Amino acid sequence: MEPDDYLVTKMTFGKKDGKPDKSVIVYNPHLVLRDIPLEAYEYVVNGKSAIEWIMERYQVTVDKASGIKNDPNQWSDDPRYIVDLLKRVVRVSLESCRIVQGLPPLNEFVA
């Protein structure tokens, strides 16, 4: 792929039967990430899955008042930076959930 094929405007979920399919992320018209385990969405940061947080934050926006454009494609010289970050977040989410599920119960005393 060429560097411009990695530019992102806004990531969205795929569709299945007219409903969002979280196992598919449409990165842009040239790149679709598939087979994302749904368990990865169980890793939550500030009330939102880490994956959805990345999808929300890493999109091109324009401030209405100032007209200033916020373009995450300009945050790195590596054209694959955002797609690689998203893939890493999926992996970290899966591993974090696996570790948490493997922890013993707290056995807290409730008075």
Side-chain angles (χ1 to χ4, degrees), residues 63-96:
D63 182 74
K64 291 179 185 177
S66 67
I68 295 173
K69 183 177 183 180
N70 183 16
D71 186 350
N73 298 294
Q74 298 175 349
W75 297 351
S76 173
D77 291 333
D78 179 3
R80 290 182 49 105
Y81 168 72
I82 299 170
V83 73
D84 288 342
L85 173 65
L86 182 58
K87 289 165 62 176
R88 283 189 210 106
V89 167
V90 169
R91 177 63 184 259
V92 166
S93 297
L94 286 170
E95 291 299 318
S96 296

Side-chain angles (χ1 to χ4, degrees), residues 3-110:
D4 285 350
D5 293 336
Y6 290 100
L7 295 176
V8 67
T9 302
K10 182 178 182 177
M11 293 177 258
T12 60
F13 290 116
K15 298 280 186 201
K16 186 175 186 179
D17 300 326
K19 297 179 183 175
D21 178 4
K22 290 187 174 187
S23 69
V24 176
I25 296 176
V26 179
Y27 183 83
N28 67 26
H30 308 284
L31 183 58
V32 177
L33 304 174
R34 299 183 187 282
D35 299 323
I36 297 166
L38 297 180
E39 300 85 40
Y41 292 94
E42 293 174 17
Y43 182 65
V44 175
V45 178
N46 290 332
K48 188 176 292 196
S49 77
I51 297 167
E52 291 170 300
W53 190 90
I54 292 292
M55 290 174 66
E56 180 183 289
R57 298 290 178 218
Y58 282 75
Q59 62 180 313
V60 176
T61 59
V62 178
D63 182 74
K64 291 179 185 177
S66 67
I68 295 173
K69 183 177 183 180
N70 183 16
D71 186 350
N73 298 294
Q74 298 175 349
W75 297 351
S76 173
D77 291 333
D78 179 3
R80 290 182 49 105
Y81 168 72
I82 299 170
V83 73
D84 288 342
L85 173 65
L86 182 58
K87 289 165 62 176
R88 283 189 210 106
V89 167
V90 169
R91 177 63 184 259
V92 166
S93 297
L94 286 170
E95 291 299 318
S96 296
C97 288
R98 182 186 61 80
I99 290 167
V100 169
Q101 290 169 357
L103 293 173
L106 288 176
N107 297 325
E108 293 182 23
F109 176 76
V110 179

